[in-house]
Amino acid sequence: MNPLTLRELDAIDVERLNGVGRRRRTALREVDVETVFDLLTYYPRRYVDRTAQAPISEAVIGSEITVVADVLSVSARRLRGGRRLVSVDVGDATGVLSAVFFNQAWRERQLTEGRTVALFGKVENYRGHKQMTNPVVDVLGDGAAADRTGKIVAIYPQSESAGIVTWDVANWVAEAQRRCSARGIADPLPDWLRDRLGLAERGQALADIHEPLSMSDRWAARNRLVFDELLRVQLLLRSQRLAREAHELGIAHKTAGNLIETFHRRLPLALTGAQRRAMADIDADLSTPRPMHRLLQGDVGSGKTLVALHALLIAVQNGHQGALMAPTEVLAEQHHIALRALLDGFEVPDEARLGGKRPLRLRLLSGSSSGTQRREVLVEVATGSADIVVGTHALLEESVRFDSLSVVVVDEQHRFGVSQRARLRESGRDDRRIPHLLVMTATPIPRTAAMTVYGDLDVSVLDELPPGRTPIATEWVRGPLAAESMWTEVRREMEAGRQAYVVCPLITESESLDARSAEQMHAELVAGSLAGLRVGLLHGRLPSADKEATMNRFRLGDLDALVATTVIEVGIDVPNATVMVVLSADRFGIAQLHQLRGRVGRGSHESTCYLVSDDDPTPIAVERLNALAATNDGFELAERDLELRGEGTLFDERQSGRNDLKLASLARDLTWVQAARDAAADLIAADGDLDTHPALADEIDWFASRRDPDYLQRS
Ligand code: ADP
Ligand code: MG
C-alpha cells in the first residue's frame, strides 16, 4: 500500500478511531475536527516541557517553573473589598504547593479535586509554604500525573463547552498515528526542495509536532508544517491565475491619445511618483488583451482617484465604457462629484456625426435616483452614450446592461466578491470578453500578508503622499473632563473658519455598548459645547436626499461641524476640515481609526485628530490608541495591528482562509511566506500543471475543493 496522502487522511472519519464514539464525534465537530486530517492538524497550543519539570520539593523560591501535580483541594472565599479568592492545593509525590487566583471565580469549577494540572509561575514563599499567584494553568486530565513524565507534553486547545480536554486529544492523536504507521504518510515535496530548505519529512513532522522528543524537533516539525500550509496557498493561487490567464480574453487598449493627454495637461497639480508608477502599471495591463486584475493599495489621501480616472479614461478613449463602483451611496456620490469636476469640458468623438464631438458623459447610478432618471441612465449605459458610470452595487443589478464595458474600478475591495465579478462579465459586453479590473483599497496590508492574501492580484502601491500635506496631530483624550477642554479647542478652530467631523459609533442608543448615538450627541452639542455654530447630522438611516444635502452643505462650508456615524469613514474629501473627533474611540479598530483620521489633513491648515476614550479603556484599546498617536504611517499601523490582533484583521470572519493557516503566522513567518512563494514560482514555472509532481497536484486539487470558493479570489 502506498503511503497516505492528505486527501486520504481527510476522507477518514474520526469516528473510526478507537475511543471516539458518537458523542465524542459531535464534540469534535464543534472544534472543526471531523476527519483524521483535521485531527492530525489540530495542533498543540503549547507544550509543557516535563523533561525540565521540577518536583515540588525542588522548586526554588523566586524561580519561574512548571509544576505538574494533582489537585488536592479547592476553596473559594470573598475578600474584604469584594475580590474573590480561589485557593488550590496541588501535590506530586514530593510535596505540596498552593496556587491562589484573584477574581477568577471560575477556577473553582475548573480545578476540581483529582485533576492533573500543569502550573507555570513564580514560586513564592507564603508563611512558610510554596505558593504561586495567578499561575498559567493547563488542565491535563484526571489522575494523569504519573503518565508521560520526562516527556515534552503537548497541550491542545481545549473546549469547555464541547468537553474537549487535552488528554483525550493526545490519546486520539496517538491512536491516529498508530493507525497510519503501517502505511506511513506520503510526502509530496520533491527532494531537491526539501533539501534546499532543510525541511523535515512530512510524516516525521506530523509525529514530532504532537510528541516531540526535544524542543528542537518541535521547531523542525513546525517549520515543515508551516511551509506546507503556505505552499498550498501559493500553489493554488498561482495555478488559479494561470488557468484564468489561459481562458480569459479581454480587450487591448491604446493608452496614448487625445483624451488622456488632455486629462494630464489640465491637471492642476503634479502627480506623485507613486501615482505615475501606478498609471504606468495600468497602461501596461490595459494595452494587452489579458484582463487586468490589479490591486491599487494606497493610504487615505494618497490620490487613488486620479489613478482610477486615468484607467477609466483609457476605456473611453478607445470607444468603450468605464464603471466605478463604490461601497456606499455617500461614497458613490462623492466620487461622482469629484469626477465631474475633473472632467468638466471634456469631449469625445461623436459617433452620430463623423468628425464631430460631444461632451464626455458621466453618469451616477444610485439607489436614490428617481425612476425616470434611472431609466434614462440605463438607456444611456446600454446604448453607449454614457461613457463613465459611477454607482454602488446597483451597477450589478439585472437591469443594467452596458454597451461595451472595458474598465471596472472597484473602491474598497473587501465588499466585492467573485460572484459580482462574474455578474459584470455578463452585463458588461455581448462578446464574452472580460473587462479589466482595478481594485482600490486604503487598507494598508503588510507586505507579508499581501503576498498571501492577494497572491492572485498584481499590486501597485501608492507609497507616497501628495506634497503639501500637513501632518495630523493625534491626541488621545481620556474621559469626560479632558473632553471638555477639547471641545473648547474644537470651537476655537471653527471660529477661525475651519470645519470639524464628530464621529459616533452607533446610530441609536445601545446601553449594552455604552456608545453614544449620533442623534443624541448632535442634540447635546448643539445645546452645549458647540452652541451657536452650524452643526449637521449624518447617519445611515436618513433619507438619501437629506444625506446628500447635508454633505453638500458641509462641502460648501455652510456647516461648521458634521456629527456622523462611520458613514464618513471612506472617501470624503473636504480640505477645509481640520478637526476629527472620534467618540468612544476605544471601540474602533486601528484600521478604522486610521481611515477616519485620514478625512482631515487634506489642506494647508494644520489638523488634529482627537480620539476620545472612556476613562478606563481595555489594555488592548490602550495599545491601539497609543499606536495611532505614535504614527500616521498606515503601513506601520497595519503591522502593529497584525501584532495585536493576529490574522483576524486580514481575513473576513466568514472566510475559511483563516483555517488554511493553522500554524503559520503572517506576522511572524515572513521568511516562510517568501520561501513558499519562491518554491511555488519554481514549481509552476518549470511545469504549469505540475504534471511532473502528481502528488503535489493532487494535494492542491484536494485543498481547493475543501475551501470557500470566494476566498482569495475576493477582490
Ligand atoms: P484617496 O487615495 O484617499 O482616495 P484621493 O484620491 O481622494 O485620495 O485624493 C486625496 C486628495 O489629494 C484630493 O483632494 C486630491 O485632489 C488630492 N491629490 C491627489 N493627487 C495629488 C497630487 N499629486 N498632488 C496634490 N494633491 C493631490
Ligand atoms: Mg478615495
Side-chain angles (χ1 to χ4, degrees):
M1 288 282 258
N2 293 328
L4 289 152
T5 63
L6 298 191
R7 185 196 288 280
E8 286 170 317
L9 292 170
D10 199 29
I12 309 172
D13 200 291
V14 277
E15 207 178 354
R16 289 179 48 197
L17 296 172
N18 287 335
V20 183
R22 191 51 54 78
R23 199 171 54 82
R24 300 311 235 153
R25 189 184 183 318
T26 313
L28 279 167
R29 183 179 300 168
E30 267 183 57
V31 293
D32 288 329
V33 172
E34 306 203 38
T35 71
V36 169
F37 168 79
D38 297 331
L39 183 64
L40 291 179
T41 53
Y42 191 73
Y43 296 120
R45 192 161 43 94
R46 59 172 169 268
Y47 299 82
V48 176
D49 187 351
R50 296 191 67 182
T51 60
Q53 158 202 338
I56 292 176
S57 61
E58 285 170 28
V60 177
I61 305 287
S63 64
E64 283 207 323
I65 57 154
T66 299
V67 157
V68 176
D70 293 329
V71 175
L72 304 176
S73 66
V74 193
S75 65
R77 66 195 161 93
R78 191 172 286 281
L79 300 174
R80 249 174 299 155
R83 291 210 292 170
R84 302 274 303 172
L85 175 75
V86 175
S87 330
V88 182
D89 282 340
V90 302
D92 63 12
T94 70
V96 175
L97 172 138
S98 47
V100 291
F101 300 91
F102 292 96
N103 278 340
Q104 300 178 25
W106 52 275
R107 293 286 188 196
E108 193 183 352
R109 271 168 288 123
Q110 183 196 32
L111 302 174
T112 51
E113 215 178 294
R115 278 205 166 162
T116 304
V117 295
L119 302 180
F120 173 78
K122 188 167 173 180
V123 186
E124 297 151 3
N125 177 2
Y126 182 75
R127 298 185 178 162
H129 297 291
K130 288 176 183 170
Q131 177 173 300
M132 287 182 178
T133 305
N134 293 332
V136 176
V137 177
D138 285 305
V139 175
L140 299 183
D142 291 329
D147 281 359
R148 305 184 191 222
T149 44
K151 289 188 177 176
I152 294 171
V153 177
I155 307 295
Y156 292 93
Q158 318 207 35
S159 163
E160 193 88 34
S161 62
I164 301 274
V165 298
T166 183
W167 220 241
D168 288 337
V169 179
N171 287 332
W172 296 325
V173 170
E175 165 69 4
Q177 303 271 21
R178 198 184 58 74
R179 297 275 288 272
C180 294
S181 62
R183 284 174 62 183
I185 289 174
D187 193 339
L189 280 196
D191 289 342
W192 59 263
L193 184 56
R194 229 175 37 220
D195 291 346
R196 181 168 96 187
L197 297 168
L199 292 170
E201 225 210 325
R202 177 179 282 170
Q204 192 65 48
L206 277 173
D208 286 353
I209 197 82
H210 293 287
E211 260 193 274
L213 290 181
S214 69
M215 281 309 200
S216 74
D217 284 356
R218 179 242 151 153
W219 284 109
R222 181 185 186 277
N223 286 345
R224 168 60 205 256
L225 298 169
V226 161
F227 179 77
D228 278 7
E229 289 180 351
L230 293 166
L231 182 69
R232 277 197 288 274
V233 172
Q234 294 296 337
L235 281 176
L236 180 62
L237 288 169
R238 264 176 204 268
S239 53
Q240 280 175 345
R241 187 188 169 119
L242 274 183
R244 189 181 74 207
E245 286 173 357
H247 295 121
E248 292 190 345
L249 189 60
I251 303 124
H253 293 75
K254 282 209 195 75
T255 56
N258 269 336
L259 199 55
I260 285 291
E261 277 155 28
T262 311
F263 168 60
H264 285 274
R265 199 175 53 243
R266 289 196 192 169
L267 272 181
L269 39 85
L271 294 174
T272 64
Q275 282 171 319
R276 279 176 208 287
R277 285 191 292 278
M279 288 176 186
D281 291 343
I282 289 168
D283 285 354
D285 291 347
L286 295 188
S287 57
T288 78
R290 190 201 294 154
M292 169 170 77
H293 287 259
R294 183 168 292 279
L295 178 73
L296 179 63
Q297 212 190 333
D299 211 345
V300 269
S302 58
K304 293 186 290 295
T305 313
L306 291 182
V307 179
L309 185 52
H310 173 89
L312 295 168
L313 284 174
I314 291 177
V316 178
Q317 177 174 272
N318 284 266
H320 302 292
Q321 294 163 296
L324 171 57
M325 201 158 95
T328 65
E329 297 227 334
V330 173
L331 249 180
E333 280 154 22
Q334 173 82 25
H335 276 313
H336 181 238
I337 289 167
L339 262 51
R340 201 168 52 197
L342 287 159
L343 295 175
D344 187 38
F346 277 56
E347 292 186 319
V348 295
D350 187 350
E351 280 169 20
R353 291 183 298 129
L354 195 64
K357 299 247 182 201
R358 63 165 176 82
L360 184 151
R361 213 166 274 139
L362 168 73
R363 288 293 180 256
L364 174 67
L365 192 69
S366 87
S368 59
S369 321
S370 76
T372 345
Q373 276 173 336
R374 196 183 141 76
R375 272 192 297 279
E376 251 175 55
V377 174
L378 288 182
V379 169
E380 290 176 344
V381 169
T383 57
S385 67
D387 301 296
I388 297 179
V389 191
V390 179
T392 56
H393 279 75
L395 286 175
L396 298 173
E397 280 163 21
E398 198 61 37
S399 53
V400 184
R401 292 262 147 206
F402 288 85
D403 175 46
S404 177
L405 183 64
S406 78
V407 171
V408 177
V409 180
V410 180
D411 200 358
E412 287 305 313
Q413 91 295 346
H414 42 273
R415 316 188 198 189
F416 192 68
V418 171
S419 43
Q420 276 108 333
R421 236 196 238 178
R423 168 76 202 123
L424 274 177
R425 223 165 264 198
E426 284 159 25
S427 68
R429 330 183 37 89
D430 289 334
D431 61 5
R432 305 292 296 164
R433 292 191 184 224
I434 314 281
H436 295 278
L437 178 67
L438 179 70
V439 174
M440 304 197 290
T441 178
T443 310
I445 299 155
R447 221 166 59 86
T448 54
M451 285 198 270
T452 299
V453 181
Y454 294 114
D456 79 328
L457 293 180
D458 295 309
V459 182
S460 298
V461 183
L462 297 184
D463 49 6
E464 202 179 327
L465 286 185
R469 294 285 162 82
T470 42
I472 306 161
T474 301
E475 274 183 45
W476 170 13
V477 178
R478 200 164 174 155
L481 278 181
E484 227 163 277
S485 61
M486 172 194 78
W487 289 119
T488 312
E489 292 285 320
V490 172
R491 231 195 130 83
R492 192 171 303 149
E493 189 75 356
M494 284 190 269
E495 279 159 2
R498 305 286 83 74
Q499 290 163 282
Y501 298 102
V502 180
V503 176
C504 318
L506 283 180
I507 300 172
T508 46
E509 192 71 49
S510 152
E511 277 186 9
S512 60
L513 284 175
D514 191 23
R516 279 159 270 202
S517 83
E519 269 156 12
Q520 193 194 322
M521 199 62 215
H522 178 257
E524 260 174 45
L525 287 172
V526 168
S529 311
L530 302 182
L533 293 162
R534 299 161 302 172
V535 184
L537 173 67
L538 194 69
H539 63 63
R541 297 206 187 156
L542 293 170
S544 300
D546 292 7
K547 276 193 274 192
E548 197 176 349
T550 304
M551 268 318 303
N552 273 332
R553 290 181 64 203
F554 189 71
R555 227 176 256 129
L556 294 171
D558 290 346
L559 288 174
D560 302 302
L562 192 59
V563 175
T565 52
T566 51
V567 287
I568 63 159
E569 185 187 334
V570 275
I572 291 212
D573 190 21
V574 180
N576 190 48
T578 58
V579 177
M580 168 62 68
V581 178
V582 185
L583 300 169
S584 301
D586 44 326
R587 300 188 195 292
F588 290 92
I590 284 187
Q592 210 176 8
L593 289 173
H594 181 62
Q595 295 283 320
L596 287 169
R597 177 167 63 181
R599 299 303 110 212
V600 296
R602 300 186 153 226
S604 52
H605 298 281
E606 292 208 358
S607 294
T608 312
C609 173
Y610 297 98
L611 303 175
V612 185
S613 78
D614 293 347
D615 274 325
D616 194 17
T618 62
I620 188 127
V622 169
E623 295 272 350
R624 288 200 298 263
L625 295 170
N626 278 332
L628 263 306
T631 180
N632 275 315
D633 183 326
F635 284 88
E636 218 175 298
L637 286 170
E639 300 277 0
R640 189 79 191 99
D641 204 14
L642 195 57
E643 275 165 36
L644 287 175
R645 286 185 49 192
E647 274 80 68
T649 43
L650 302 168
F651 300 98
D652 210 301
E653 298 280 303
R654 291 165 295 124
Q655 288 176 351
S656 64
R658 247 197 118 171
N659 302 336
D660 295 336
L661 304 182
K662 292 180 181 171
L663 215 48
S665 149
L666 296 177
R668 270 182 286 123
D669 294 315
L670 170 61
T671 338
W672 290 115
V673 173
Q674 265 159 351
R677 209 172 148 85
D678 293 347
D682 290 350
L683 289 164
I684 291 216
D687 161 20
D689 300 327
L690 290 174
D691 281 339
T692 50
H693 302 289
L696 214 43
D698 180 65
E699 184 163 315
I700 300 311
D701 189 53
W702 156 79
F703 178 59
S705 71
R706 59 186 320 267
R707 59 219 305 278
D708 167 6
D710 257 11
Y711 167 67
L712 290 179
Q713 293 209 359
R714 249 166 220 284
S715 54

